[in-house]
Every structure is written in C-alpha cells, then in structure tokens.
Amino acid sequence: MASRGHSVDVMLRFYRLGHEYFTVKLSESITDWIEDPAVALRTFVDLERFGFRYIDRISSLVAAEYVAELDRLQNQARAERADVVRALLAGERVDIARAERVLSHRLTGRQIGFVCWVDDRGVDLEGFARQVGRFLGAGHSLVVADSPLAVWGWASIPGDVRTSPIGMATEFPGERDKVHIAVGSPHPGAAGFRTSHLEALRTRRIIELSGRAAPSITQFSDVALVDAISRDLDAARAFVAAQLGDLARDEAKERSERAALLAVLDAQGSLATAASTLGIHRNTVLQRMRRAEERRGRPATINIAELHAALLVCDVLGASVLRDS
C-alpha cells in the first residue's frame, strides 16, 4: 500500500470495514448457535470487546509498519534525488532522461535557480518556494531543502516566457514579508541548472553582505557587477577607497552625497532626472554633487566608469565596503 502511494487512512479502512462485517455476521448468527438469550448477549459482548481490542492493536501495528515502509521509500527517493542534484551541480555528465524522471523536473528548457530563506522558523518554505516557481512560469518546480531555514529551487520555463521577479513584491500575500528571495538568470539545459543556481547563491551572498534586515526579492542581473567586484571583499574595499577618497565614509552626509552623484551618473549627467529620482530639488542635487567631488578630491568626469562602479558597490553593500567615521 505504501509503495503504491495509498494513504494510511485507505489502508486502515479495510480493517474498519472488516470489523463491521464481523459484527453484522455475529449479530445475525449468534442466536442460531446459542439458544439462551442471556448467554448469547454475554457472548456477543465478549466477542465484540475482543474484536475492538484486536482492531485497535492491529491498526497500530499496521500503521507503524506502513509509516516505516513509507519512510524507507521516501528516504530512498530523497537520497536518489539528492545524488542527481549533486551531480548536476558538480557539472558531472548525467543521463538526462533518468535525471528528469528522478527529479520530476524538465532539464531541457531554460532553468531559473532561486534560493528562499528566513531568519526564524514558522514558515512553510517549501510551499512558498513552489509559489515562487509558479510565478516564474513553471507549473511544477523542483524544491530541495538546504537547511531548516533555507531551500533551493529551480523552475523550468519555456523559451517564450519572460520573467520579472520584481513583481513578486505585490503578487505574494502573507508570508512574503518574512522570506528573502534570490533569483538567478535563465540559462538553458542541464548546464543552466547549475549556472543559475550558482548565480542565486551569489545573489544571496550579496544580500547578506549588504546587511539588509528586511526580506527582499533580488535578481542576479541587478547585482552582477557588485558580485564580480566584491568576490574579494578586501580588494573591493580598497577599490572603493581609491575611487571615492573621503567620500567612502559611513556617515549620513556622505551617504546623501554618494546617492546624488550616483543618480546623476545613472541619468547620464541629467540633474533634472536625478532630482526626480531622488525626490529633491535640482539645485540640491548639484550642491551634493559638488561636495561629493570635493570629498573625492577630483571631478566626477575623471575615471567615470570606475567611479560609477564604486558608487554602485557602496549603494548595494553599504558598511561592508565603507570606512568607519
């Protein structure tokens, strides 16, 4: 029954129906066997008591054996699934047809890896991760527990599906404000299964380095440059210090000046666009930009690409790459 996927309730129903059959037959026949009604009643009561005890005992024994067999089957399935996932993540050659059968997951489409984690228990992470997979365009997603507080997931999506994880912020009810989500980029096939997963893990690293307390939804494409620069965190701090000078301090004034300068560079020099983005007056943007240049020790027109990258790293990672005041 366990190996065929039947529930324990279906199995135990056989015993309940058997007991009912026994009771009906006993009540119909006992007076044929025993003429004295008083003796017949006592005998019926004794046999029913025995029947109840038997069903109670055998139900417990059978249920325990069912659970043990189900555990064996599930452990075997989990072990086999874990082995296939490990092989795929290690870049080993695998039998794709067998892997898809074991994982119940298609490996021929584009793969999006994602990671969901929480700070405290109390959230159905696996169920939540399946919601993420459906949002990304997969009717069925593969979800694997990484720890009690984190799960890995993969969505296999058709080539014509376009995903936008940022929309999840408004799509997910309830537990969305308790779960961090890091999403890799879509990549094709079994190799994409590994690549997108690694991107999701690197995105999680960036989120944790940034020190953000509130759960967020972050795509790898939004932090790819920061990830590349911060692989060596000491080197990233040195890069930021070299590009920003005294602007690389973890203080409120420096933060506002960096934000203004980054907004101007993002807007390709447009003060009006930067002011609209920041929600402040154009002149305020210009003043903060000038003070930022003074702290930096050179104009923003020098080494623009490096300056832009350093400001972006500071904006994402914050105190992890800044000097204390």
Side-chain angles (χ1 to χ4, degrees), residues 81 89 114-117 125-126 143-154 197 201 204 208:
R81 185 176 68 167
L89 295 182
F114 56 93
V115 180
C116 300
W117 72 100
L125 264 184
E126 293 195 14
V143 176
V144 176
D146 175 43
S147 72
L149 299 179
V151 296
W152 297 343
W154 289 265
H197 173 70
L201 292 182
R204 177 181 180 178
E208 292 179 333

Side-chain angles (χ1 to χ4, degrees), residues 40-52:
L41 179 59
R42 285 198 304 272
T43 304
F44 179 83
V45 170
D46 287 343
L47 289 173
E48 271 299 278
R49 184 180 294 113
F50 173 83
F52 276 116

Side-chain angles (χ1 to χ4, degrees), residues 57-203:
R57 178 63 175 155
I58 200 68
S59 295
S60 296
L61 292 173
V62 170
E65 183 59 30
Y66 171 91
V67 170
E69 177 63 18
L70 192 63
D71 283 345
R72 284 192 288 270
L73 292 170
Q74 290 177 342
N75 287 337
Q76 181 180 352
R78 278 194 293 266
E80 191 174 13
R81 185 176 68 167
D83 186 60
V84 171
V85 169
R86 180 203 58 76
L88 287 167
L89 295 182
E92 299 175 5
R93 296 187 63 178
V94 299
D95 182 329
I96 297 299
R98 174 182 173 274
E100 290 184 330
R101 184 174 63 255
V102 170
L103 300 177
S104 297
H105 178 80
R106 191 166 61 92
L107 292 169
T108 50
R110 291 192 303 158
Q111 306 293 310
I112 300 182
F114 56 93
V115 180
C116 300
W117 72 100
V118 293
D119 301 315
D120 300 296
R121 297 174 186 266
V123 175
D124 177 13
L125 264 184
E126 293 195 14
F128 186 90
R130 291 189 181 92
Q131 290 186 59
V132 174
R134 285 193 292 271
F135 184 89
L136 292 173
H140 172 78
S141 52
L142 173 63
V143 176
V144 176
D146 175 43
S147 72
L149 299 179
V151 296
W152 297 343
W154 289 265
S156 179
I157 60 174
D160 57 348
V161 171
R162 294 293 179 266
T163 63
S164 178
I166 297 305
M168 291 188 218
T170 56
E171 292 284 337
F172 283 178
E175 295 175 335
R176 161 64 198 91
D177 60 352
K178 301 177 183 176
V179 183
H180 303 269
I181 307 170
V183 185
S185 302
H187 295 279
F193 184 94
R194 177 177 184 270
T195 301
S196 190
H197 173 70
L198 293 177
E199 289 180 350
L201 292 182
R202 282 152 52 189
T203 303

